[in-house]
Amino acid sequence: MVRRYALSDQQFVLIKDILSPAKPLRRGRSRRDDRTILNGIFWVLCSGAAWRDLPERFGPWQTVYDRYRRWSRDGTIDRVLALLQLQLLDDGTLDLEPWFVDSTTVRA
């Protein structure tokens, strides 16, 4: 069962190569799981909650926020979202029609 805002196994397989560091880190603590971190990022962004309100199952909020900032700066988040959007378009589960709104459909 996939939780709300979480990646399915199929989606994670599609993007896992983008998230992995080029070379393994040698010092300090072991790296937190990329899937868990990304699910935490999605939880915050989709729920609108503050980073400090992130549930403990995603790890420390500081770690999740730090990885989000790093991935945002280097373009990783954009590449992940582009790949996931392409998959949804291919599957037919993403309908772009409702996203196009003009002045004739919204009254002031």
Side-chain angles (χ1 to χ4, degrees):
M1 179 177 127
V2 177
R3 289 180 176 236
R4 178 182 272 181
Y5 312 132
L7 293 170
S8 68
D9 292 336
Q10 179 185 9
Q11 291 169 327
F12 186 69
V13 166
L14 184 67
I15 62 169
K16 71 179 179 179
D17 293 335
I18 295 174
L19 302 175
S20 300
K23 54 184 175 182
L25 303 174
R26 297 182 191 171
R27 295 183 180 192
R29 297 181 185 163
S30 59
R31 181 177 167 87
R32 292 242 177 219
D33 178 49
D34 288 327
R35 184 175 185 171
T36 303
I37 296 291
L38 192 58
N39 284 338
I41 291 169
F42 287 156
W43 188 91
V44 169
L45 296 179
C46 292
S47 70
W51 288 101
R52 291 179 184 265
D53 295 336
L54 184 71
E56 290 181 13
R57 70 177 180 264
F58 298 115
W61 72 267
Q62 298 94 332
T63 303
V64 177
Y65 176 70
D66 202 36
R67 193 90 53 98
Y68 168 72
R69 283 187 41 226
R70 191 172 342 129
W71 285 346
S72 292
R73 271 184 279 169
D74 69 10
T76 300
I77 292 287
D78 292 333
R79 291 192 307 272
V80 164
L81 294 177
L83 272 177
L84 293 175
Q85 183 182 25
L86 287 175
Q87 181 195 9
L88 290 174
L89 285 171
D90 289 345
D91 294 347
T93 54
L94 180 64
D95 183 13
L96 294 178
E97 287 301 315
W99 297 100
F100 296 112
V101 179
D102 64 2
S103 63
T104 61
T105 59
V106 177
R107 290 187 167 202

